Amino acid sequence: MSAPGPVSASAERSAAVAAADAAAPTMPADAAGAAGEPVADRRLHPMSWLFVLIQHLKQFIVPLLILVFAGRGDRNELYSLIGVGLLVLAALWRYFTYRYGVGPNGLVVRSGLLNRSLRVIPFVRIQNVAVHQTVLHRVFGVAEVRMESAAGKEPEAQMRVLTLADAMALETLVRRRGADPAQAVEERADSLLRLSPAEVLRLGLVSNGGLVLVGAGIAAALQTVPDFNGRVPERVLRGGMHWLFGRVEGYHLDAGGYALLAAATIALVAVALKTLSVTLALLRYYGFDLSEQGRRLTAERGLLARWRTTVPRRRIQAWTLEEGVLHRLLKRRRLAVDTVGADEHDEGRALKELAPIASPQTCDRLIAHLLPHARWDALEWRALPNAAWWRLFLPDVPWTVLAAFALYWHLGSWSLLALLWLPWSAFKAQRRARRMGYAMNAELVAVREGWWRRHWRFAELDKLQALQLTRSPLDRRCGTATLWLDTAGAGALSPPLRIRFLPADEARRLYDRLAGALAGRPLRW
């Protein structure tokens, strides 16, 4: 049996939604049995044990393949496969003991036989519903459902697996009951953004997914492949260099020829990495569709595997608008968001991008639609003093001098070429200083930074969780300060929401104004 092709994805979603609308009202609605206990009488899909087993077996796959096909390592490690049999039994045990049901106010989950567990999860607590389908899921017509709350990064409920119709019905039911338990009217879904295949190709060109994947593969090999850190790199490097130099020496190239060969090799590697990035973008973002239904946003994407994530708009805490050099050449930007409780390393299950790639006008329209009172397009930006450029230039000076000093022992006077980085660093610092600025109105606070790679970072005032005014010894010497603004759900890879190099008096006035705004209204999630 083969997986459905991408052409049938739209018809598949339409059929699933139609089945959801038909199935949602038939799900059990009474939350109390004869003994007054919540009802949980629905089982997972009969093949759910297989997907649970596959999830547990992922950690054994790489060592097993190495031992069987490469013939290296200690074969006593195969004894660990005895645990695979136990995992099979555990997967079957989970299937036969797991039950779920739907009450009037929440989801009921019962698991275990000897050690029994009963959980009642209120609909209003469920903030995010993620429906995930891999290729194998699509073969069997099933999906994994994950429900998250704002309280933490662990899911409130995770069901491996349900039929696609049941998964869509459960998502629909949670969306209806979570918004208003007494409301049963389904609101119309409006599409906010659809990415065409051409846009997805542009996304692959501006991303570095291929480089990240290759780096992750090398790191994984260093950790899992036996003796990779020892003989394997040495053998590959020695054999590859011997073959390469043997071939090159036969052409008797001069210095110019070697330079052209090096440039061609770099170009070939760059093309290969970009091709890999485009392939990854097609796999992850093909068919991207952002829609709005009531106060919830739903994003669906994927070529072979499909991800569908639903999240309330109130869960969005901060926004990031980004553009790199290639973005500017293609006249495109990226609009990302931080959401409460989202795990930045949990690929596909958290809504992190409202527009992976779009024109600046489209991004502005999305912001204006989702933040209608913020008046994003009418913000009055305040530039920072241009004299702050040397503060951005200063950190590069000691590192450049140290690099030139270290290279002197190997290159002699040629190491002084490293100092040519300083003029470029000064030029870059001046450009960055000219673009730095901030803006604030009654609803929104925003900062902008960057020159080579630019970003705009902003948040609603009632989403701010903390304010901090800091002054380093250099700040005290220069009469400046840095204002940090913290929101919930901020990821480690997100640009910081901060205003740097502010004059101390201006920083204090801005801090007092923001503190008064926070004290005058309740914070909301």
Side-chain angles (χ1 to χ4, degrees):
M1 182 180 291
S2 60
V7 178
S8 63
S10 177
E12 180 181 326
R13 290 196 303 271
S14 300
V17 171
D21 291 337
T26 64
M27 300 185 76
D30 53 328
E37 295 183 355
V39 173
D41 59 355
R42 296 178 67 89
R43 283 188 175 182
L44 301 175
H45 189 272
M47 295 302 296
S48 63
W49 66 271
L50 175 62
F51 293 91
V52 174
L53 177 62
I54 291 174
Q55 185 70 23
H56 289 312
L57 284 178
K58 285 182 178 180
Q59 56 185 324
F60 293 98
I61 294 299
V62 174
L64 179 61
L65 292 177
I66 293 171
L67 289 171
V68 172
F69 295 103
R72 294 195 304 270
D74 186 3
R75 292 190 177 272
N76 289 330
E77 295 179 12
L78 287 173
Y79 287 115
S80 63
L81 295 179
I82 296 176
V84 175
L86 299 177
L87 291 177
V88 173
L89 295 178
L92 291 172
W93 183 272
R94 175 179 172 82
Y95 168 71
F96 285 110
T97 60
Y98 192 97
R99 299 286 190 278
Y100 76 96
V102 178
N105 299 316
L107 185 70
V108 183
V109 178
R110 188 193 302 271
S111 61
L113 182 61
L114 301 179
N115 185 16
R116 297 183 178 181
S117 173
L118 176 65
R119 297 189 63 198
V120 180
I121 309 168
F123 289 121
V124 294
R125 186 176 177 180
I126 300 173
Q127 299 291 324
N128 182 29
V129 181
V131 180
H132 177 214
Q133 279 188 296
T134 64
V135 176
L136 190 59
H137 285 99
R138 299 179 71 180
V139 167
F140 286 98
V142 297
E144 176 184 332
V145 180
R146 178 177 175 134
M147 300 183 182
E148 300 172 337
S149 70
K153 295 184 178 181
E154 290 298 324
E156 292 289 338
Q158 188 170 6
M159 301 176 184
R160 302 192 184 103
V161 289
L162 304 177
T163 63
L164 184 58
D166 283 347
M168 298 299 295
L170 194 57
E171 182 203 41
T172 301
L173 192 62
V174 169
R175 183 173 61 247
R176 292 177 181 176
R177 303 280 185 86
D180 186 355
Q183 183 180 2
V185 178
E186 183 70 9
E187 298 175 302
R188 183 172 60 91
D190 298 321
S191 180
L192 301 180
L193 176 67
R194 286 193 178 98
L195 292 187
S196 65
E199 288 293 327
V200 178
L201 290 177
R202 292 188 184 97
L203 176 59
L205 291 176
V206 301
S207 66
N208 294 316
L211 181 61
V212 174
L213 182 62
V214 170
I218 294 175
L222 289 172
Q223 296 294 325
T224 58
V225 177
D227 205 23
F228 188 91
N229 250 341
R231 296 190 302 270
V232 173
E234 183 180 351
R235 291 174 181 174
V236 173
L237 183 61
R238 184 182 302 171
M241 296 299 288
H242 179 74
W243 176 85
L244 178 62
F245 282 110
R247 299 277 296 183
V248 171
E249 287 178 357
Y251 294 102
H252 304 288
L253 299 176
D254 56 7
Y258 281 112
L260 289 175
L261 180 62
T265 303
I266 294 174
L268 182 62
V269 171
V271 169
L273 290 176
K274 279 300 176 184
T275 302
L276 183 57
S277 297
V278 170
T279 303
L280 291 175
L282 287 172
L283 291 175
R284 293 175 178 173
Y285 293 99
Y286 181 85
F288 180 91
D289 186 5
L290 177 69
S291 60
E292 180 184 31
Q293 196 165 13
R295 299 293 295 176
R296 286 179 174 263
L297 298 175
T298 299
E300 188 171 359
R301 60 184 175 88
L303 179 61
L304 301 179
R306 297 291 296 176
W307 290 271
R308 179 182 172 90
T309 305
T310 301
V311 64
R313 281 169 50 176
R314 68 178 182 274
R315 195 180 178 189
I316 298 176
Q317 302 297 299
W319 308 65
T320 305
L321 196 60
E322 296 178 331
E323 64 174 23
V325 177
L326 292 178
H327 284 90
R328 291 196 290 277
L329 290 176
L330 298 175
K331 298 181 180 180
R332 293 295 184 271
R333 287 177 180 171
R334 171 179 178 262
L335 180 60
V337 293
D338 296 336
T339 54
V340 175
D343 186 354
E344 61 184 288
H345 303 293
D346 197 358
E347 178 66 28
R349 294 185 175 92
L351 184 59
K352 295 180 287 188
E353 293 173 305
L354 299 185
I357 188 170
S359 65
Q361 296 79 13
T362 300
C363 291
D364 290 342
R365 283 197 298 269
L366 271 177
I367 298 171
H369 175 75
L370 298 174
L371 297 176
H373 303 294
R375 295 180 294 127
W376 164 256
D377 55 348
L379 287 177
E380 296 182 1
W381 291 93
R382 296 175 60 91
L384 297 179
N386 288 332
W389 74 268
W390 69 269
R391 300 280 299 274
L392 299 171
F393 167 70
L394 189 61
D396 285 352
V397 175
W399 293 108
T400 304
V401 174
L402 182 61
F405 180 75
L407 291 173
Y408 176 78
W409 304 102
H410 301 281
L411 302 178
S413 59
W414 287 99
S415 63
L416 296 178
L417 292 176
L419 298 178
L420 294 177
W421 176 259
L422 293 178
W424 164 253
S425 181
F427 173 77
K428 183 177 64 172
Q430 290 178 352
R431 292 290 182 174
R432 289 177 59 191
R434 289 178 184 177
R435 288 208 72 259
M436 292 177 65
Y438 72 95
M440 192 178 78
N441 57 25
E443 299 288 336
L444 196 73
V445 59
V447 297
R448 68 183 184 193
E449 286 193 24
W451 167 64
W452 192 257
R453 183 174 183 85
R454 303 172 181 176
H455 73 264
W456 295 258
R457 180 86 165 157
F458 52 97
E460 297 172 87
L461 294 184
D462 55 1
K463 298 296 180 68
L464 297 178
Q465 301 293 307
L467 303 174
Q468 185 180 16
L469 195 62
T470 62
R471 300 188 71 189
S472 66
L474 189 57
D475 280 320
R476 289 193 292 271
R477 176 69 177 174
C478 299
T480 58
T482 298
L483 179 60
W484 295 81
L485 305 99
D486 187 30
T487 60
L493 300 180
S494 301
L497 186 57
R498 66 182 177 184
I499 308 175
R500 294 192 289 174
F501 313 138
L502 273 173
D505 293 340
E506 184 178 351
R508 173 57 64 180
R509 288 195 300 269
L510 187 59
Y511 177 88
D512 293 339
R513 182 181 174 186
L514 287 172
L518 294 184
R521 72 180 70 179
L523 296 178
R524 60 180 172 86
W525 275 10

